[in-house]
Amino acid sequence: MDRGLVDVVRRFNRTVTQRVGALDDSYLARDRPLAQSRLLWEIGPAGAEVAALRTRLDLDAGYLSRLLRTLEGEGLVAVGPGEGDGRVRTARLTDAGRAEWGLLDGRSDDLAWSVLEPLSAGQRARLTSAMAEVERLLMASLVTIGPCHPGDPRARACLRAYARELAGRFDAGFDPAGSGVEDNELIPPAGLFLVATVSTEAVGCGAVRLPADEPAEIKRLWVSGTVRGLGVGRRLLDELERHAAAAGAGSVRLDTNRSLTEAMRLYRSAGYQEVPRYNTNPYAHHWFAKPLT
Amino acid sequence: MDRGLVDVVRRFNRTVTQRVGALDDSYLARDRPLAQSRLLWEIGPAGAEVAALRTRLDLDAGYLSRLLRTLEGEGLVAVGPGEGDGRVRTARLTDAGRAEWGLLDGRSDDLAWSVLEPLSAGQRARLTSAMAEVERLLMASLVTIGPCHPGDPRARACLRAYARELAGRFDAGFDPAGSGVEDNELIPPAGLFLVATVSTEAVGCGAVRLPADEPAEIKRLWVSGTVRGLGVGRRLLDELERHAAAAGAGSVRLDTNRSLTEAMRLYRSAGYQEVPRYNTNPYAHHWFAKPLT
DNA sequence: AGGAATACCTGACTATAGTCAGTCATCATG
DNA sequence: CATGATGACTGACTATAGTCAGGTATTCCT
């Protein structure tokens, strides 16, 4: 624990959070209680499912319901049935609600501008790029990695995104049906499936197979675009290797497609060496292996 | 109003403020209501005057008093008479309070470390430097400049700091007594005194004399170390020149000591040219003037 | 088809935050 | 040494946030 760095983070938390945060709240709440304003804001012009609002704002179901009734009473929101599932209801802004939302949106712009306005052009550029950097790296530090059943909704979401991306990037497209790995090969003790999440959203995954008679094999390493370049892939890979080593594997291998250049860069920098073809995966062009200590 | 920059600031406010702020609060409040924790924290091991706490936390006097009674009731705080003014009371932590404060301090460290811990060394360095940059520039944008009576406590505080600094930097020391400018020369319409403040703290000042028979003269331009390098001096100077021009001055001049190199750099970059000695100020080595449009 | 789970709702609460008017001691000022 | 200002305190409030135990309709699972 580095005192100097910790102090910078503490100072930052203190000043930025309190000054900017308090300002932000006071701008959002106009006459209305803050919780109502936040909810109105979160519903947005496109509307939102009540369930989504609950998780996004982290509110008690009863409390949220009551807040929605109040906003309905003021004629700002209408809660109606959703599209598919008949239990899920959707909150939409009325015309008056949309007008109010627009007002909040404008105030939010004003607040942001009031931060930039006193600064010179050069300072504005430095401030915004530093803000973007803080945001990205804070995002990186909020990524948590943990084991997960491959049938879990978070895992499913990752695998869907993974397949969609491969389909878009491979010259020959990609058909997930023939990927040749069963879910139960990725459940301990046969293997392990990891997801990387930010709060509740899954932003990456990776798996390792641990067959009894062959080397361990990394499968389905994927990182969402929102956190790419932040070391999440490396953390997933490290964790999978650690697990394989703990399970007694002496080495680990993997295959990849020639269009996945960042992935190959990652493997090389993580100590993988290219090896001859060891399987018949039609989508693979390169095979890598790494000894485990 | 630049949309792209405004959007960056809005995103930053939204994500960083809310995520970090919420985390920070939840770490600070342990069993105890947040307001109590904040107060306990703010009192600190050194103790604090009740009046200072009120302005720092921006609390209602009655509410603060009640909070102090609660903390006293829990044996964490003792409120006693202060040093000088018998009306002002001082809150001090008891031994138990100090222990509790230490706990909060430790939790604050833990929280900061939990942000850094998942990152690589390079990322940590980048994050903390970006945080420091955001903090400094945000500070710069929080600086407000306005006119002020030279007898105002904020002005007095600045002038004291100014004199202290000059005394430290001038080869021959500095005696504020013989500075030769009366307060009433710096009050409209004879002149103007400006202070730069961050919330309630004065961080800079500057004045202009507008004698009937001579050019306008800039006096007492000073910027606190906490905001130096953030363009506050430039903003003060601009504002003073604008005022002088509006009052009909055709040019403005000033003198300075050879040890004040940043100030001279500022004057030159603001369009001032060195001119021959125009007064007998014993502390001055350089004289500058600038025509006003 | 029947039971478990899910999404939302209502009623009845409690806790926390914050406000306001009025009181009392102390201090600065003429 | 009266007068007004200031700092802290108390009592009596209100508003906001949040919790919890049911209850109903819908969907999922087998």
Side-chain angles (χ1 to χ4, degrees), chain B residues 115-197:
Chain B
V115 167
L116 293 171
E117 206 253 309
L119 301 179
S120 71
Q123 287 177 320
R124 285 177 197 169
R126 278 162 52 209
L127 177 60
T128 48
S129 80
M131 280 180 163
E133 175 100 333
V134 167
E135 209 191 318
R136 268 180 78 73
L137 288 167
L138 231 36
M139 168 80 91
S141 96
L142 287 174
V143 174
T144 58
I145 288 176
C148 168
H149 190 283
D152 184 286
R154 289 170 305 161
R156 287 276 157 240
C158 284
L159 293 173
R160 262 197 312 276
Y162 176 61
R164 198 166 36 235
E165 183 167 343
L166 295 189
R169 293 180 65 166
F170 289 2
D171 304 328
F174 175 71
D175 176 15
S179 80
V181 184
E182 302 298 324
D183 277 2
N184 54 23
E185 289 185 90
L186 307 180
I187 299 170
L192 181 70
F193 192 95
L194 295 177
V195 280
T197 51

Side-chain angles (χ1 to χ4, degrees), chain A residues 146-156 183-184 186-188 193-195:
Chain A
C148 167
H149 191 282
D152 183 285
R154 291 171 302 161
R156 287 278 157 237
D183 277 2
N184 54 23
L186 306 179
I187 299 170
F193 192 96
L194 295 177
V195 279

Side-chain angles (χ1 to χ4, degrees), chain B residues 21-79:
Chain B
L23 251 178
D24 222 37
D25 287 350
S26 72
Y27 260 68
L28 196 54
R30 25 174 273 106
D31 312 333
R32 209 183 313 289
L34 189 56
Q36 276 180 43
S37 279
R38 269 206 271 262
L39 177 55
L40 186 70
W41 176 253
E42 206 64 41
I43 292 171
E49 296 189 342
V50 173
L53 293 170
R54 198 172 47 234
T55 60
R56 253 190 287 167
L57 293 166
D58 190 31
L59 291 175
D60 174 84
Y63 184 30
L64 173 57
S65 189
R66 212 177 308 283
L67 286 172
L68 284 170
R69 289 303 84 68
T70 315
L71 290 176
E72 265 188 331
E74 291 180 27
L76 300 170
V77 166
V79 179

Side-chain angles (χ1 to χ4, degrees), chain A residues 33-35 59-60 62-63 66 84-87:
Chain A
L34 190 56
L59 292 175
D60 174 85
Y63 186 29
R66 210 177 312 281
D85 192 327
R87 293 166 303 182

Side-chain angles (χ1 to χ4, degrees), chain A residues 230-291:
Chain A
L230 296 176
V232 175
R234 168 66 64 108
R235 281 168 63 193
L236 282 163
L237 193 56
D238 284 355
E239 194 72 24
L240 292 170
E241 289 172 7
R242 220 180 349 261
H243 180 79
S251 71
V252 60
R253 59 189 185 177
L254 55 85
D255 63 33
T256 190
N257 184 283
R258 66 178 155 225
S259 69
L260 301 176
T261 52
E262 328 84 293
M264 280 194 280
R265 205 159 38 240
L266 167 63
Y267 300 141
R268 289 214 169 84
S269 86
Y272 284 75
Q273 304 276 344
E274 190 149 6
V275 295
R277 164 192 287 270
Y278 66 81
N279 65 10
T280 59
N281 179 349
Y283 299 107
H285 300 110
H286 299 276
W287 293 260
F288 289 90
K290 174 185 181 179

Side-chain angles (χ1 to χ4, degrees), chain A residues 6 10-11 57 68 128 151 168 194 204 258 265 269:
Chain A
V6 163
R10 285 185 57 167
R11 266 187 71 87
L57 292 166
L68 284 170
T128 47
L194 295 177
R258 66 178 155 225
R265 205 159 38 240
S269 86

